[in-house]
Amino acid sequence: MRKLISITMAATLLTASVSFTSCESVKNTNKTQRGAAIGVAGGALIGGILGNNLGKGGNGALGAVLGGVIGGATGGIIGNKMDKQARAIEQTVPGAQVERVGEGIKLVLGENSVNFATNKATLTQKAKDNLDKLATVFKQEPDTYISIYGYTDNTGREEYNLSLSKQRAASVKQYLMEQGVAGNRMITEGMGIADPIASNDTESGRAQNRRVEFGIRASEKMIQDAQNQAGAH
């Protein structure tokens, strides 16, 4: 079974700067404890800074996930929900690369999971089968927002690749909607050749860069419900 990667953020607000630290004791805490630690250290501010910076520089799903760290007991409750959903995705969708980041999830589906007809935005049957599984998980936790990013390799004209990536992200959204995932939960963006995760100098590297990324984060309803739950304790 693939190892689920957890990224833990601990922060300290200084006079005019934010610093990030990590230690073994933090790694050994559970998500609720980490969420509380983030809240004490000013997680909301850090999340805004990270989200803005990553968003400006691309980074697709990662920027979306880090755009609104909440922290405190509320963040811990949301983190527990995201832990559960991340495990469900990893266990259900073949080839899924699942990464827990802050209070959200970054999900990468490469060509081995979601692929398209050559130079088209048409989903293959294999892609549909895997998106069926992903839709089932998404419907089990309806109070999340989902950002979908399409990527290509650098073969061909950059403008063409950008257009194709937009169409492919839209095709994924459309198919998920057909499987019952609410359309108002999802936004799409084509990233084209941006943010390669492997070298475009080899076929294997280009294959890795042809991918779909998802940024999964809490909706306002999930945040409000978590706030209410935290206040009741």
Side-chain angles (χ1 to χ4, degrees), residues 34-221:
R34 290 178 223 175
I38 292 170
V40 172
L45 173 60
I46 295 163
I49 294 170
L50 282 170
N52 289 335
N53 289 340
L54 288 171
K56 292 174 183 176
N59 292 283
L62 185 60
V65 170
L66 288 176
V69 174
I70 300 160
T74 299
I77 292 168
I78 292 172
N80 284 335
K81 287 179 176 289
M82 293 297 184
D83 283 346
K84 181 179 178 181
Q85 184 168 127
R87 286 193 297 269
I89 294 171
E90 187 180 49
Q91 293 167 4
T92 303
V93 183
Q97 299 175 43
V98 184
E99 187 175 336
R100 276 282 285 108
V101 183
E103 292 152 7
I105 301 169
K106 176 185 175 182
L107 167 64
V108 179
L109 296 180
E111 279 197 331
N112 59 335
S113 300
V114 172
N115 54 356
F116 303 84
T118 303
N119 292 325
K120 295 182 180 180
T122 306
L123 290 162
T124 66
Q125 186 57 52
K126 178 181 180 180
K128 291 179 180 180
D129 290 344
N130 286 327
L131 288 175
D132 287 343
K133 298 179 177 70
L134 186 60
T136 298
V137 178
F138 282 161
K139 287 188 289 184
Q140 290 171 351
E141 182 51 81
D143 297 331
T144 57
Y145 289 144
I146 305 161
S147 299
I148 305 170
Y149 299 89
Y151 288 89
T152 67
D153 61 29
N154 69 347
T155 303
R157 292 184 299 109
E158 185 173 350
E159 297 82 2
Y160 174 81
N161 285 324
L162 182 60
S163 176
L164 181 61
S165 68
K166 290 178 180 179
Q167 294 172 35
R168 287 180 169 179
S171 290
V172 171
K173 176 183 176 180
Q174 180 60 41
Y175 189 79
L176 290 172
M177 287 174 59
E178 291 170 3
Q179 308 316 305
V181 181
N184 60 5
R185 296 174 58 188
M186 298 182 284
I187 61 171
T188 65
E189 186 172 352
M191 305 296 285
I193 66 174
D195 306 325
I197 58 175
S199 172
N200 277 305
D201 294 333
T202 65
E203 176 51 41
S204 61
R206 290 191 292 272
Q208 292 180 62
N209 291 330
R210 297 189 294 266
R211 68 196 189 278
V212 179
E213 290 188 359
F214 299 78
I216 304 165
R217 64 194 189 281
S219 68
E220 287 85 356
K221 183 179 185 303

Side-chain angles (χ1 to χ4, degrees), residues 15 26-27 47 75 92 102 118 133 150 228 232:
T15 304
V26 173
K27 293 179 183 177
T92 303
T118 303
K133 298 179 177 70
N228 293 339

